[in-house]
Amino acid sequence: MKTKLTLTVNKSIIEKAKKVAKERSVSVSRLFEEVFEDDSPQPLRNERQKAASELLKTLGNQAKTQTAEKSDKELIKNYVNKKYS
């Protein structure tokens, strides 16, 4: 059940929240919900942070021999090409 909530915060915080919500393509209300729904220590992550986290997981799962054979630049290029093609 949704319930209305009124908050009193500094105007600069409101503007920042609106900016972040717009960047994430969600409402300020949804942004607020995400903060308290997510149990992770940093639930507010933008798309770049999510992509970087996913990339790090993928690179971490690469076999040691493959990592030794390819440079970081090559691995990132291959990942990006695979992800967005």
Side-chain angles (χ1 to χ4, degrees):
M1 177 176 88
K2 299 268 183 178
T3 304
K4 188 173 180 173
L5 169 68
T6 303
L7 299 172
T8 304
V9 295
N10 290 330
K11 186 173 183 170
S12 62
I13 300 298
I14 295 169
E15 295 306 317
K16 190 181 221 180
K18 287 180 179 181
K19 181 181 175 189
V20 171
K22 184 176 182 179
E23 288 171 357
R24 298 186 68 209
S25 300
V26 296
S27 67
V28 174
S29 294
R30 181 65 194 140
L31 189 70
F32 182 83
E33 286 177 335
E34 288 177 7
V35 169
F36 293 99
E37 282 179 347
D38 195 341
D39 292 333
S40 69
Q42 295 181 334
L44 296 177
R45 298 191 307 173
N46 63 31
E47 292 305 313
R48 284 182 180 169
Q49 290 169 322
K50 289 177 185 176
S53 176
E54 189 176 323
L55 175 61
L56 289 173
K57 281 186 215 172
T58 301
L59 291 175
N61 292 334
Q62 296 290 323
K64 292 288 183 186
T65 55
Q66 183 181 4
T67 304
E69 294 171 9
K70 294 185 178 182
S71 70
D72 290 345
K73 187 175 181 179
E74 289 175 301
L75 290 171
I76 291 169
K77 184 177 179 181
N78 290 343
Y79 175 80
V80 170
N81 288 338
K82 185 173 112 179
K83 179 79 174 171
Y84 297 104
S85 57

